[in-house]
Amino acid sequence: MTDASPPGGPPTVADGRSVRWVRHREERRASLVDSTIRAIRRHGAGVGMDDIAAEAATSKTVIYRHFEDRAGLYRAVVERVDQRVVGDVVAALQRSSTTGTNPRELISSTVDAYLALVESDTDLYRFVVNRPMVDRPLADDPVGATVGHVTEQLARLLEASSPEGDIGPATWRVRAVALVGAVQAVADEWLASPVRAPRDELVESLTELAWHGLAPVLLSQPDVATTAVEERR
């Protein structure tokens, strides 16, 4: 009877100590990300590495050992936020689709899920968007990946909710990109405003814009160019 070992040597058996070490490193990285997020919430989006090390009860050297540099730690935090944002948005979309909610409510749920994170975790959102720990351009933009995940989910469900079979996936993706981009831009302006409008008003405004578009609003007003000419006469 011949041994079923793969060519080139005996079968490789995972060393139990190696597996435990890998698991330990993953758990340690997760713990350091937890500490970083707590430090952000405690000290604000401009948190420093000293603050993070103190929150983690360790040294900056140990943190760099697990993440190589500040950009590596930033990526890990964004990945954690990505899981939360995408999870919240997907949950909202799934609730809308499984309960037979109309497409307008689906859009509203998406907008609200995103803005809820911005409102409830403002400093963490600013940390992710403003990148205070990153002093160089990142080839792999982690924020872009998060936006892409949300856009993909939204485009898929909008397409599924539409009775218009002549609109292809590419067109729905463009519309989803436009909606997500609008929500991002409004969220940034909302945070910068000294007096914030209530979130539900913002959700309604963005939903109306996405649902009806600008044309019905603009066409109900006097033509701006014509009015300006008449005023100069």
Side-chain angles (χ1 to χ4, degrees):
M1 183 175 178
T2 58
D3 187 2
S5 301
T12 302
V13 179
D15 186 299
R17 288 171 299 180
S18 298
V19 173
R20 286 194 297 272
W21 175 243
V22 170
R23 186 182 303 118
H24 169 74
R25 284 185 60 83
E26 291 174 350
E27 292 172 350
R28 184 59 173 146
R29 280 174 58 91
S31 175
L32 289 171
V33 170
D34 290 340
S35 296
T36 302
I37 292 175
R38 287 197 303 271
I40 292 168
R41 290 167 176 161
R42 184 188 302 272
H43 300 283
V47 65
M49 288 301 298
D50 289 331
D51 298 321
I52 294 171
E55 185 68 39
T58 188
S59 67
K60 290 187 290 185
T61 302
V62 170
I63 296 175
Y64 291 139
R65 187 182 303 154
H66 287 275
F67 297 99
E68 295 187 2
D69 55 16
R70 292 186 300 174
L73 179 58
Y74 169 76
R75 286 190 186 93
V77 171
V78 175
E79 182 179 348
R80 177 71 64 80
V81 173
D82 174 273
Q83 294 169 359
R84 177 177 168 189
V85 171
V86 175
D88 288 352
V89 169
V90 169
L93 292 175
Q94 288 177 341
R95 283 196 300 272
S96 297
S97 61
T98 56
T99 57
T101 302
N102 63 48
R104 188 186 186 283
E105 287 302 315
L106 187 148
I107 294 172
S108 178
S109 296
T110 306
V111 173
D112 188 56
Y114 190 94
L115 292 180
L117 170 67
V118 173
E119 185 176 46
S120 65
D121 229 336
T122 300
D123 285 322
L124 183 59
Y125 178 82
R126 283 178 170 146
F127 176 87
V128 168
V129 173
N130 297 333
R131 310 179 186 191
M133 295 180 64
V134 180
D135 54 6
R136 55 184 170 79
L138 297 178
D140 54 330
D141 179 12
V143 177
T146 298
V147 173
H149 295 155
V150 173
T151 299
E152 180 181 346
Q153 294 291 335
L154 178 59
R156 184 181 298 121
L157 282 176
L158 284 175
E159 182 181 7
S161 301
S162 171
E164 302 179 48
D166 58 333
I167 299 179
T171 300
W172 280 118
R173 180 167 180 81
V174 168
R175 294 176 179 180
V177 168
L179 176 57
V180 173
V183 175
Q184 278 188 292
V186 170
D188 291 343
E189 193 276 339
W190 188 44
L191 287 184
S193 176
V195 180
R196 294 185 197 170
R199 190 177 89 229
D200 58 346
E201 291 183 11
L202 210 60
V203 170
E204 179 63 19
S205 180
L206 281 165
T207 302
E208 281 292 298
L209 176 62
W211 187 245
H212 296 293
L214 289 173
V217 177
L218 295 177
L219 292 176
S220 67
Q221 303 297 326
D223 183 81
V224 176
T226 302
T227 302
V229 170
E230 292 176 349
E231 288 177 349
R232 287 197 296 268
R233 289 177 180 174

